[in-house]
Amino acid sequence: MPFTEPRVGATPGRPYDVRIMNALVLDGSRGTECRDALAALQQALADAGHLAEVIPLRERTIAPCRGCFGCWIKTPGECVIDDDGRAVARSIARCDVLVYLTPVTFGGVSSELKKALDRMIPNLSPFFARVCGETHHQRRYRKTPRWIGLGVLSQPDCEAERVFKTLVERNALNLQSERVAAAVVTPASDLAATTAALVKAVAE
Amino acid sequence: MTQRKALLLVGSPRGIGHSTSDRLGSVVLDALKGRSFDTEKLHVHAVMDSPAAFESALAAIGACDTVILSLPLYVDSFPAPVIALLERIAERRVGAGRVRFSLVIQCGFPEAKHNATALAIAERFASEVGWEWLGGAALGGTGGFAKDVGAVLAPVGEAIADGKTVPEVASSVPFPAWLYRFVGNVMWRRQAKKQGATRSLRARPYEG
Ligand SMILES: Cc1cc2nc3c(=O)[nH]c(=O)nc-3n(C[C@H](O)[C@H](O)[C@H](O)COP(=O)(O)O)c2cc1C
């Protein structure tokens, strides 16, 4: 195994080759429906030695994207709207792992999460590129976060789960993320095992 | 026979009169008007901006038998205010068991297939709220390159008027994607010049 210098802040007692990552959890819950999943996720991240910032989006003022593309052609890299959407986009640009936490909403993400995602496009370059045989945008930043999608459902729904996982993968592809993992949990799920597996899948 | 009513929901922040979503959705709505539907058009962002407009929109949705949602693809899905409206429709089960639902969606990338996930989300919504899903039309290249948008969307209006499933319309740009990317990249530079961009288009203001 290659020897890796311990990074500042490495958890005592953990092997040196474990990378400490900064995770950003975008909590798109509209009420308390994701509370247990969030607790399990925070525990899984802490157990793996990662640092986590959680943004409860429903408590943030994020106006809807205006579709003006000012963030590409007027003030490149920054949205023209001065509200919490800018700080969220900044945190996304700087994190190592981006986590979507959301009630699965018609197979997609909640409106609370989506209001932040629509304001994430300043972090992309306007210029097009060919990625996996399709058109996408070039990256703006050298680093792109790894991606975790954790959806919460009140009862199992295979089709909603399939659509949710596809959406998370498509979003990760749009930002050219190197690694992506998604899962959907219900009240019957083993939250600790599921969240630990997600964290492991993107960390390796 | 009772008068049939169709409602067009325009889901672009650029609104009525300014967005591609309005232009394409109106093609379908006009076809329904030609088939003697009563028609009405609402801008989702405006509806979600005012409690009074929101309540009257829910009443309008509850009173019609056909809803067409025309919108741009945003991050592989719908713009946030559209999702917010659908969440509230589902909570109140507005129009359950009665409304027929179709989607007209277009995206900035040249390939129409980018819209597939959004179409699946629309279908899930219909199934969860109890609306009849008629299917939808998906266009690439901002919906602006189909030679004759009227001809592309005409079968959609016809199918909706007949209450039939919408024939699969997936219209990518009618030339190679590399050309679209090349011209698109030139256009971004031109527009930035016109807008007096404050910094390089490749600036990284948030680099840590
Ligand atoms: C916030 C935002 C997100 C977008 N996401 C996508 C996307 O994921 N894929 C895509 O092909 N186009 C995307 N687009 C491009 C729009 O779908 C496209 O510009 C559309 O033609 C706008 O239509 P409108 O005039 O009706 O607003 C996005 C645009 C914006 C502003």
Side-chain angles (χ1 to χ4, degrees):
Chain A
M1 201 192 291
F3 178 80
T4 320
E5 284 294 313
R7 288 177 38 138
V8 178
T11 314
R14 293 197 67 83
Y16 286 164
D17 59 343
V18 171
R19 219 184 129 219
I20 306 295
M21 299 199 288
N22 289 304
L24 174 69
V25 181
L26 295 182
D27 175 2
S29 55
R30 298 178 63 212
T32 55
E33 69 278 28
C34 298
R35 198 182 42 199
D36 295 347
L38 175 60
L41 186 65
Q42 285 178 297
Q43 190 62 51
L45 288 164
D47 287 348
H50 304 312
L51 307 170
E53 179 193 358
V54 181
I55 304 185
L57 292 165
R58 64 183 178 282
E59 293 168 16
R60 297 289 186 274
T61 305
I62 301 177
C65 167
R66 294 179 192 156
C68 68
F69 296 116
C71 59
W72 286 348
I73 54 172
K74 215 170 178 175
T75 52
E78 192 155 60
C79 180
V80 299
I81 307 170
D82 185 6
D83 65 9
D84 295 337
R86 284 187 182 170
V88 174
R90 174 184 278 113
S91 294
I92 293 173
R94 293 182 175 180
C95 73
D96 302 309
V97 183
L98 176 64
V99 186
Y100 290 180
L101 175 65
T102 178
V104 177
T105 306
F106 320 125
V109 302
S110 70
S111 58
E112 289 295 340
L113 176 53
K114 195 62 178 27
K115 72 184 185 189
L117 301 184
D118 289 351
R119 296 279 302 277
M120 178 173 75
I121 69 157
N123 291 5
L124 283 168
S125 157
F127 299 118
F128 295 119
R130 184 168 183 265
V131 181
C132 297
E134 307 171 344
T135 304
H136 289 276
H137 286 286
Q138 292 176 20
R139 294 173 172 188
R140 179 177 295 278
Y141 293 97
R142 280 174 270 245
K143 186 179 82 176
T144 301
R146 295 167 182 210
W147 227 270
I148 289 179
L150 180 57
V152 175
L153 273 175
S154 56
Q155 54 189 42
D157 180 337
C158 296
E159 186 51 20
E161 180 169 343
R162 187 192 65 76
V163 176
F164 178 75
K165 287 180 174 169
T166 308
L167 176 64
V168 174
E169 277 165 18
R170 296 295 300 173
N171 281 187
L173 178 61
N174 251 335
L175 270 87
Q176 297 182 48
S177 174
E178 315 170 340
R179 207 154 293 184
V180 52
V184 167
V185 292
T186 66
S189 301
D190 181 341
L191 289 177
T194 306
T195 51
L198 285 173
V199 172
K200 189 161 177 256
V202 297
E204 275 171 350
Chain B
M1 206 169 97
T2 54
Q3 182 62 32
R4 295 185 297 175
K5 288 188 185 143
L7 176 66
L8 171 65
L9 293 173
V10 177
S12 162
R14 298 165 66 205
I16 291 170
H18 304 284
S19 63
T20 308
S21 300
D22 178 34
R23 192 168 58 84
L24 301 186
S26 297
V27 171
V28 176
L29 199 67
D30 287 346
L32 294 180
K33 204 184 262 173
R35 294 282 303 268
S36 63
F37 273 74
D38 263 355
T39 60
E40 189 183 348
K41 199 193 277 192
L42 290 173
H43 180 211
V44 175
H45 290 65
V47 161
M48 297 312 288
D49 234 15
S50 132
F54 171 72
E55 288 303 331
S56 71
L58 287 195
I61 293 165
C64 70
D65 41 64
T66 305
V67 172
I68 300 136
L69 176 58
S70 181
L71 76 176
L73 185 70
Y74 268 23
V75 197
D76 301 300
S77 169
F78 305 158
V82 174
I83 301 177
L85 176 62
L86 300 187
E87 283 167 346
R88 282 147 189 87
I89 291 171
E91 275 158 18
R92 300 200 200 175
R93 291 188 60 77
V94 180
R98 201 162 46 78
V99 170
R100 289 175 170 154
F101 180 48
S102 179
L103 200 78
V104 177
I105 186 159
Q106 39 87 29
C107 69
F109 295 146
E111 306 93 358
K113 67 178 176 190
H114 287 279
N115 297 299
T117 317
L119 278 161
I121 290 171
E123 185 171 3
R124 291 299 315 148
F125 161 75
S127 128
E128 287 181 31
V129 74
W131 289 8
E132 185 185 347
W133 172 238
L134 295 180
L139 291 88
T142 70
F145 292 90
K147 265 199 199 110
D148 180 356
V149 168
V152 169
L153 293 177
V156 176
E158 289 303 310
I160 294 172
D162 294 336
K164 290 189 184 141
T165 304
V166 171
E168 202 169 296
V169 174
S171 170
S172 298
V173 296
F175 50 84
W178 65 261
L179 184 59
Y180 183 91
R181 292 193 286 269
F182 177 79
V183 175
N185 290 348
V186 173
M187 294 300 294
W188 287 125
R189 282 206 184 83
R190 265 202 207 151
Q191 287 186 39
K193 213 169 188 182
K194 228 162 85 188
Q195 294 269 338
T198 54
R199 44 174 102 105
S200 153
L201 266 64
R202 296 188 190 274
R204 298 184 179 120
Y206 298 150
E207 198 145 69

